[in-house]
Amino acid sequence: MTHTTLAFLFPGQGSQALGMLGDLARTEPQVQQTFAEASAVLGRDLWQLAAAGPAAALDQTENTQPVMLSAGVAVWRCWQARGGPMPAAMAGHSLGEYTALVAAGALDFADAVKLVAERARLMQAAVPAGEGAMAAMLGLDEDAVISLCAAQAQGEVLEAVNFNAPGQVVVAGQRGAVERAVAAAKGAGAKRAVVLPVSVPSHCALMRDAAEQLGTRLAETTLRMPAVPVLHNVTVTVATDVHDLRGLLVRQLYSPVRWVETIRALAGMGISVAVEAGPGKVLAGLGKRIDGSITTLPVFDSAGLDQALEAMNHA
């Protein structure tokens, strides 16, 4: 049965942490089963990496992406196994969009594992280490950040790429340009500007070549229309057909993540409860700042799963 006021949200890179889902794995067999499936596809032990690290290896894009995909799918399978209702809509932040498509039945899990591993590899290869960067701008509105990027690009790539919450926008591009933006941010009125510890400048024009190559892989991958509407990062709408779905995933790699609009669109659909499926509480924190009418319940341990199921039983 579909619950008309429920949405599922899937986090992306940055939410990973050593020991993630360890507590949930003690009570729900689906967690280790899901990681075992992904590990078999890639020929490396993702559960061991998530449990014991080293942290530097877990934080490498080509490991983080399949690990986060597995974590989100694992939580979704736990929800289903415990009889949780179907959500009325889903969305994922960046990489999380792939997790949402697996949960919505648009993409087989094994195919998704291969795809995100390839996506990560292409992203990492697109920009030599040290040449790209990302930075968070805190306390500036979207237009102010866009203007700041235009002023500091100076012929290099510098773009606003993650509209995460009001007053929280991430920029990406060539390292020099990002560093100029950080230096100029205070003068533009920012509370803080901080370079992020990531190895790839995601969602900007530097990813166009990677996106084109990803498109070749997507063309060979079986996709179906999702059984549950999935709002896409690029357009904040649902795909019209499978061809459109492929195109949205290609464009996603070099286009901004429009998360503020996504949460507001869900609120407009009548969503009042969202489950954040995967480690951490990043999306719950952003959601609070975007629209207080949606309660986001983070599910990454047994207590969180019990609470979310309980909330839906009484909703």
Side-chain angles (χ1 to χ4, degrees), residues 75-95:
V75 171
W76 169 248
R77 288 174 172 181
C78 294
W79 179 262
Q80 289 184 297
R82 293 278 296 273
M86 282 296 275
M90 295 185 184
H93 191 286
S94 188
L95 168 79

Side-chain angles (χ1 to χ4, degrees), residues 144-221:
V145 176
I146 291 166
S147 301
L148 178 69
C149 287
Q152 298 304 324
Q154 296 171 19
E156 291 188 305
V157 171
L158 180 63
E159 297 167 25
V161 296
N162 291 6
F163 298 105
N164 284 334
Q168 187 177 332
V169 181
V170 174
V171 303
Q174 281 155 301
R175 179 166 287 278
V178 171
E179 286 170 352
R180 283 195 297 277
V182 168
K186 273 265 169 52
K191 288 199 188 97
R192 273 180 72 213
V194 51
V195 176
L196 299 173
V198 294
S199 56
V200 172
S202 307
H203 300 291
C204 74
L206 298 175
M207 290 293 127
R208 275 186 186 268
D209 285 352
E212 217 165 279
Q213 293 173 66
L214 182 67
T216 308
R217 285 303 291 268
L218 277 161
E220 300 160 359
T221 304

Side-chain angles (χ1 to χ4, degrees), residues 97 230-240 244 248 258 262 265:
E97 196 162 285
V230 174
L231 290 183
H232 289 274
N233 291 177
V234 173
T235 53
V236 198
T237 57
V238 297
T240 51
D244 184 36
L248 288 166
R258 295 163 61 183
T262 299

Side-chain angles (χ1 to χ4, degrees), residues 30-307:
Q30 291 78 16
V31 176
Q32 294 217 36
Q33 285 164 7
T34 302
F35 272 84
E37 275 176 55
S39 299
V41 169
L42 295 181
R44 57 184 195 264
D45 191 338
L46 296 180
W47 181 251
Q48 180 60 29
L49 178 64
L58 179 60
D59 289 343
Q60 276 168 348
T61 295
E62 60 246 56
N63 291 325
T64 312
Q65 294 200 25
V67 164
M68 284 300 299
L69 173 81
S70 303
V73 170
V75 171
W76 169 248
R77 288 174 172 181
C78 294
W79 179 262
Q80 289 184 297
R82 293 278 296 273
M86 282 296 275
M90 295 185 184
H93 191 286
S94 188
L95 168 79
E97 196 162 285
Y98 286 80
T99 324
L101 290 169
V102 173
L107 186 54
D108 289 339
F109 179 52
D111 286 341
V113 171
K114 283 183 213 149
L115 258 183
V116 302
E118 181 66 358
R119 178 181 184 267
R121 191 189 67 73
L122 291 168
M123 288 169 72
Q124 195 67 72
V127 181
E131 288 190 15
M134 298 181 79
M137 302 284 162
L138 307 177
L140 285 179
D141 68 23
E142 296 182 0
D143 290 341
V145 176
I146 291 166
S147 301
L148 178 69
C149 287
Q152 298 304 324
Q154 296 171 19
E156 291 188 305
V157 171
L158 180 63
E159 297 167 25
V161 296
N162 291 6
F163 298 105
N164 284 334
Q168 187 177 332
V169 181
V170 174
V171 303
Q174 281 155 301
R175 179 166 287 278
V178 171
E179 286 170 352
R180 283 195 297 277
V182 168
K186 273 265 169 52
K191 288 199 188 97
R192 273 180 72 213
V194 51
V195 176
L196 299 173
V198 294
S199 56
V200 172
S202 307
H203 300 291
C204 74
L206 298 175
M207 290 293 127
R208 275 186 186 268
D209 285 352
E212 217 165 279
Q213 293 173 66
L214 182 67
T216 308
R217 285 303 291 268
L218 277 161
E220 300 160 359
T221 304
T222 304
L223 286 171
R224 296 170 290 275
M225 284 304 283
V228 176
V230 174
L231 290 183
H232 289 274
N233 291 177
V234 173
T235 53
V236 198
T237 57
V238 297
T240 51
D241 56 31
V242 170
H243 177 73
D244 184 36
L245 180 54
R246 281 198 178 91
L248 288 166
L249 290 174
V250 171
R251 284 166 58 199
Q252 191 224 43
L253 213 47
Y254 59 82
S255 304
V257 175
R258 295 163 61 183
W259 196 249
V260 173
E261 292 170 85
T262 299
I263 298 303
R264 287 178 179 155
L266 291 170
M269 289 165 66
I271 299 297
S272 59
V273 179
V275 167
E276 177 175 2
K281 303 177 182 178
V282 170
L283 300 182
L286 297 178
K288 256 195 203 101
R289 296 174 52 189
I290 297 168
D291 193 313
S293 71
I294 298 179
T295 303
T296 305
L297 307 170
V299 175
F300 54 80
D301 59 12
S302 302
L305 179 60
D306 292 342
Q307 280 164 4

